[in-house]
Amino acid sequence: DADVTQTPRNRITKTGKRIMLECSQTKGHDRMYWYRQDPGLGLRLIYYSFDVKDINKGEISDGYSVSRQAQAKFSLSLESAIPNQTALYFCATSDRLGDTQYFGPGTRLTVL
Amino acid sequence: QKEVEQNSGPLSVPEGAIASLNCTYSDRGSQSFFWYRQYSGKSPELIMSIYSNGDKEDGRFTAQLNKASQYVSLLIRDSQPSDSATYLCAPQNDYKLSFGAGTTVTVRA
């Protein structure tokens, strides 16, 4: 089984809808991250969490919110989806050393 | 804005040749540097990390770091068709990664 899982893997939704992307990990890592990837722009950090009670904004947090329900679970929400949030979303984890980040398989989100 | 610039691609090399990838970064506080490989439609996977100035070799991959010049590079020797992918440069500061847009490498058989 994969160490970092993301659900759903693909999602098509309409403008204005609320949507949640979920990330779970079995690596026992404290640190979790959400990124989005757009063609030609690389990955950009949306939110990150260094433990269950710690939530931090990344460089592009506007329009997004997160919830760290447990050490193993980190969810990303779009309260009112808009078309320019169409992208590939990745969850990642790292241990306390914060060295290597391990990525989930990604969620391809399309907002119509 | 923490900028990470990578040489524009795509980079096409014949099988068995050396592929050379370059990256410059603006954040002087960057402490660690990573190269990720990403196949089309897949998630990034770590292939190299480097922390101090100089060269680091791992199999067919060699990473080079020059913090004074804010420059990091990756050499892929004896390129194979399986090396065809996008390579992402990612400096790290305070446990957060900043990614370049990536350089796409195509290895011609």
Side-chain angles (χ1 to χ4, degrees):
Chain A
D1 289 341
D3 295 321
V4 184
T5 58
Q6 293 184 233
T7 55
R9 294 293 312 278
N10 289 282
R11 181 72 183 266
I12 299 174
T13 191
K14 295 181 178 181
T15 297
K17 294 292 186 181
R18 184 180 188 276
I19 186 167
M20 179 180 288
L21 308 182
E22 298 185 333
C23 176
S24 295
Q25 53 111 348
T26 59
K27 300 184 78 66
H29 288 168
D30 290 316
R31 300 171 188 241
M32 299 187 73
Y33 309 79
W34 274 105
Y35 295 89
R36 66 175 279 175
Q37 186 174 34
D38 299 275
L41 293 180
L43 284 86
R44 292 180 291 168
L45 183 63
I46 306 173
Y47 270 95
Y48 60 101
S49 169
F50 284 174
D51 64 42
V52 174
K53 297 182 179 180
D54 177 72
I55 300 290
N56 303 282
K57 293 182 178 180
E59 60 177 298
I60 55 162
S61 59
D62 288 349
Y64 302 95
S65 63
V66 291
S67 173
R68 184 80 184 267
Q69 301 96 323
Q71 185 204 37
K73 296 183 181 295
F74 193 34
S75 300
L76 176 71
S77 293
L78 288 69
E79 295 300 326
S80 180
I82 56 177
N84 77 359
Q85 292 177 313
T86 292
L88 188 54
Y89 289 84
F90 287 105
C91 173
T93 74
S94 67
D95 62 20
R96 282 185 178 271
L97 293 177
D99 195 350
T100 303
Q101 291 190 19
Y102 299 88
F103 286 81
T107 294
R108 186 169 296 280
L109 176 66
T110 303
V111 183
L112 301 175
Chain B
Q1 184 77 12
K2 299 176 181 176
E3 295 186 352
V4 181
E5 301 287 341
Q6 296 185 236
N7 48 326
S8 60
L11 179 64
S12 180
V13 299
E15 185 173 355
I18 295 175
S20 178
L21 307 175
N22 302 315
C23 174
T24 58
Y25 59 94
S26 63
D27 182 8
R28 288 194 172 274
S30 298
Q31 299 138 353
S32 308
F33 303 84
F34 302 89
W35 283 98
Y36 283 82
R37 177 177 62 199
Q38 186 176 25
Y39 293 112
S40 180
K42 302 297 184 182
S43 57
E45 57 177 327
L46 181 69
I47 56 170
M48 284 288 287
S49 59
I50 186 166
Y51 307 99
S52 55
N53 286 331
D55 296 355
K56 179 182 178 182
E57 185 174 317
D58 184 359
R60 295 185 296 108
F61 298 99
T62 299
Q64 299 174 318
L65 174 61
N66 184 326
K67 291 184 179 180
S69 299
Q70 296 176 254
Y71 172 84
V72 60
S73 67
L74 180 70
L75 296 177
I76 307 173
R77 293 184 302 281
D78 187 23
S79 294
Q80 301 297 308
S82 60
D83 295 326
S84 297
T86 297
Y87 291 81
L88 305 172
C89 172
Q92 183 185 65
N93 187 356
D94 195 24
Y95 308 112
K96 299 188 297 292
L97 296 174
S98 297
F99 285 87
T103 300
T104 297
V105 174
T106 300
V107 180
R108 308 188 305 271

